[in-house]
Amino acid sequence: MALRGGALRFHSFYSNFLKFPSCVRVRSLSNNVPPSPATATVPEVTDEHVIYTQQHFALKESLGKIIDQEINPFVDQWEAEGTFPAHKIFKILGTAGFLGVNKPVEYGGLGLDFSYSVAVAEELGNIRCGGIPMAIGVQSDMATPALARFGSAELKKEFLLPTIMGDKVACLGVSEVGAGSDVSSIMTKAVKKGDEYVINGGKMWTTNGTQADWMCLLANTSDGPPHRNKSLICLPMNLPGVHIARKIDKLGMWSSDTAEVFFDDVHVPCQNIIGQEGMGFTYQMLQFQEERLWAVANIVTMMDNIMQETIQYTGQRKIFKQPVLHHQSVHFKLAELQTEVELLRSLLYHATALYIKGNDVTKLASMAKLKAGRLARELSDGCLQYWGGMGFTSDVLVSRFYRDSRLLSIGAGADEVMLGIICKYMDTLPKK
């Protein structure tokens, strides 16, 4: 496939990657385990940004061109159709190197630290809907971190490499009908029989589920304590017994397909387990750190765009013989919202800087996600109000953002779960 625009520019970026100063590159470990945050050397940042280098900006610029050429012109169509061509889009992004920027070079990644994933997530916020960035994030930073860090070389070759290259679509199977944010309560079982696991159960709200080639599945592999009896398993979606029950209609994220999936005596080789048996809950909690920071980075850009479009619209729309923007209540409210966005961005960069140095940022990531979800609701509602009747139509971005952003306070851990995590780190939870 011939590359154009952003993809071509990024290949130039990629071909010169190993020529970057050593402070920008991350070394792979000799045992093929991808670099942990602790092994990453923090690059010297530019005067213009607290954590980004010129390489971050080159990455964002290249991705921006792909978004402008290959994605945004078709967003309205995909929103109307309720799905987007994941294999096509992921192949474009994978060929250009954007599905594994912090994954090992030997498996198709760029071997950079997580700050580059944050930069990519920010740029993906310029896609004019929430569903497609979310689907990309599942592929790049939600279904694959545990596989990249703890999976065997064979598993990484079979699942991680084609996912990074965009040849396979991945999904994450954690939530169930009776176990969303309460991950420890999942009921799906994988019972060992000889050299196989036999899987029965089901998963709910599975992003990319109707198009996925494989699932990073969390299942109970023993009857032990709920935090020690779970394992992550690479599950090919074309196996006998895997049933896509339905494509779920949603309030928002229309262009992203979301599936309910059932497993009926699905046989998977024991070698498909990621890392150690019984460590799945711990691995998933580690994945959540990156997933939550990724989601915050993505929605911060979306909020910036909504703010700018609202400022432009209210500057043109008149009420009582003057632009809506000139009313003090309006421009003061927008100033307050922009201040909140900047505070959230600072928290994101602070948490990212600590994470790439090897620190546990569970508390900060939970704070950032909590704040992002609540601010997105406040900002989308406040800005939509200033659009008047136009805001109640499907013709403007603000109404789409109003629908899509509501998920952030629910998915990947509800607000109430974030509060519980924060309280745990503050040591303010009641003792049992």
Side-chain angles (χ1 to χ4, degrees):
M1 179 181 66
L3 298 180
R4 299 178 296 165
L8 183 60
R9 181 178 179 89
F10 185 74
H11 265 281
S12 175
F13 172 90
Y14 177 66
S15 65
N16 289 315
F17 164 66
L18 293 177
K19 299 177 183 178
F20 290 169
S22 59
C23 63
V24 175
R25 288 184 274 116
V26 178
R27 297 180 181 89
S28 297
L29 302 182
S30 59
N31 60 358
N32 285 337
V33 176
S36 68
T39 68
T41 302
V42 179
E44 182 179 351
V45 299
T46 66
D47 293 335
E48 295 80 16
H49 203 279
V50 293
I51 63 171
Y52 290 170
T53 67
Q54 291 300 323
Q55 285 72 37
H56 290 83
F57 292 117
L59 199 72
K60 287 164 68 77
E61 181 182 358
S62 299
L63 178 55
K65 291 182 178 180
I66 292 179
I67 291 170
D68 290 342
Q69 295 171 8
E70 306 288 354
I71 299 178
N72 275 341
F74 310 101
V75 163
D76 289 344
Q77 174 190 339
W78 296 335
E79 284 279 294
E81 294 174 349
T83 189
F84 79 104
H87 284 89
K88 175 183 177 182
I89 297 303
F90 289 177
K91 184 58 181 175
I92 292 171
L93 293 170
T95 301
F98 290 110
L99 297 180
V101 294
N102 68 326
K103 300 302 189 296
V105 175
E106 57 267 35
Y107 297 105
L110 300 185
L112 301 169
D113 65 49
F114 184 69
S115 67
Y116 288 84
S117 290
V118 170
V120 167
E122 282 187 334
E123 192 62 34
L124 289 171
N126 286 316
I127 296 175
R128 294 185 67 79
C129 69
I132 296 171
M134 178 177 68
I136 297 169
V138 168
Q139 179 87 355
S140 63
D141 289 270
M142 301 177 197
T144 54
L147 174 59
R149 182 172 294 184
F150 303 108
S152 66
E154 292 78 12
L155 275 185
K156 284 186 277 192
K157 183 178 180 180
E158 182 178 356
F159 294 100
L160 182 62
L161 175 61
T163 301
I164 290 173
M165 297 305 296
D167 294 321
K168 288 186 177 181
V169 173
C171 65
L172 179 63
V174 175
S175 294
E176 300 178 3
V177 173
S181 294
D182 184 9
V183 175
S184 65
S185 296
I186 65 167
M187 300 298 292
T188 297
K189 289 188 176 181
V191 179
K192 186 180 290 185
K193 292 186 178 181
D195 59 355
E196 293 182 323
Y197 286 107
V198 180
I199 301 171
N200 285 279
K203 294 297 176 180
M204 191 68 169
W205 307 297
T206 307
T207 300
N208 299 342
T210 69
Q211 302 185 70
D213 298 296
W214 71 281
M215 173 185 286
C216 179
L217 171 72
L218 184 68
N220 296 315
T221 49
S222 75
D223 294 324
H227 296 97
R228 299 179 183 177
N229 73 334
K230 295 169 176 55
S231 302
L232 286 174
I233 301 170
C234 294
L235 173 72
M237 293 290 282
N238 62 352
L239 291 177
V242 177
H243 304 290
I244 308 299
R246 62 187 174 111
K247 178 175 173 288
I248 301 170
D249 289 330
K250 309 182 297 296
L251 171 69
M253 304 293 193
W254 292 350
S255 54
S256 170
D257 61 292
T258 307
E260 182 176 13
V261 185
F262 289 122
F263 312 109
D264 182 14
D265 285 340
V266 180
H267 290 250
V268 178
C270 290
Q271 65 188 27
N272 280 28
I273 197 167
I274 296 174
Q276 300 178 33
E277 181 176 320
M279 288 294 291
F281 183 88
T282 299
Y283 294 161
Q284 184 56 44
M285 293 305 104
L286 292 173
Q287 287 192 144
F288 274 145
Q289 288 192 70
E290 295 191 4
E291 177 176 350
R292 289 164 182 164
L293 291 175
W294 193 100
V296 172
N298 185 244
I299 207 162
V300 162
T301 300
M302 294 183 181
M303 288 193 282
D304 282 337
N305 292 338
I306 294 299
M307 287 288 294
Q308 290 305 309
E309 292 196 12
T310 300
I311 290 170
Q312 182 179 7
Y313 180 75
T314 55
Q316 296 172 352
R317 180 186 176 220
K318 291 187 177 181
I319 185 171
F320 304 124
K321 299 182 179 180
Q322 65 173 325
V324 172
L325 183 63
H326 290 185
H327 292 267
Q328 187 183 74
S329 62
V330 176
H331 56 250
F332 272 18
K333 179 61 176 179
L334 293 175
E336 290 176 350
L337 290 172
Q338 191 65 60
T339 300
E340 294 294 317
V341 172
E342 292 303 325
L343 289 170
L344 176 61
R345 198 187 330 265
S346 295
L347 176 56
L348 167 67
Y349 291 157
H350 175 55
T352 300
L354 290 174
Y355 183 67
I356 62 178
K357 291 181 179 179
N359 294 285
D360 177 6
V361 295
T362 301
K363 181 177 75 170
L364 293 178
S366 301
M367 289 176 169
K369 183 186 176 297
L370 172 69
K371 180 62 178 177
R374 292 184 168 182
L375 179 57
R377 288 151 64 187
E378 179 186 3
L379 187 146
S380 62
D381 185 66
C383 287
L384 188 147
Q385 183 71 20
Y386 299 143
W387 285 75
M390 283 299 298
F392 199 65
T393 72
S394 297
D395 299 333
V396 292
L397 183 63
V398 66
S399 61
R400 184 178 292 167
F401 181 72
Y402 182 89
R403 297 190 307 268
D404 291 350
S405 63
R406 187 61 181 86
L407 179 61
L408 190 56
S409 285
I410 300 172
D415 283 1
E416 293 75 17
V417 173
M418 298 301 99
L419 288 167
I421 294 171
I422 296 165
C423 289
K424 179 181 178 180
Y425 277 82
M426 294 174 64
D427 197 25
T428 57
L429 287 177
K431 304 297 181 182
K432 294 183 180 180

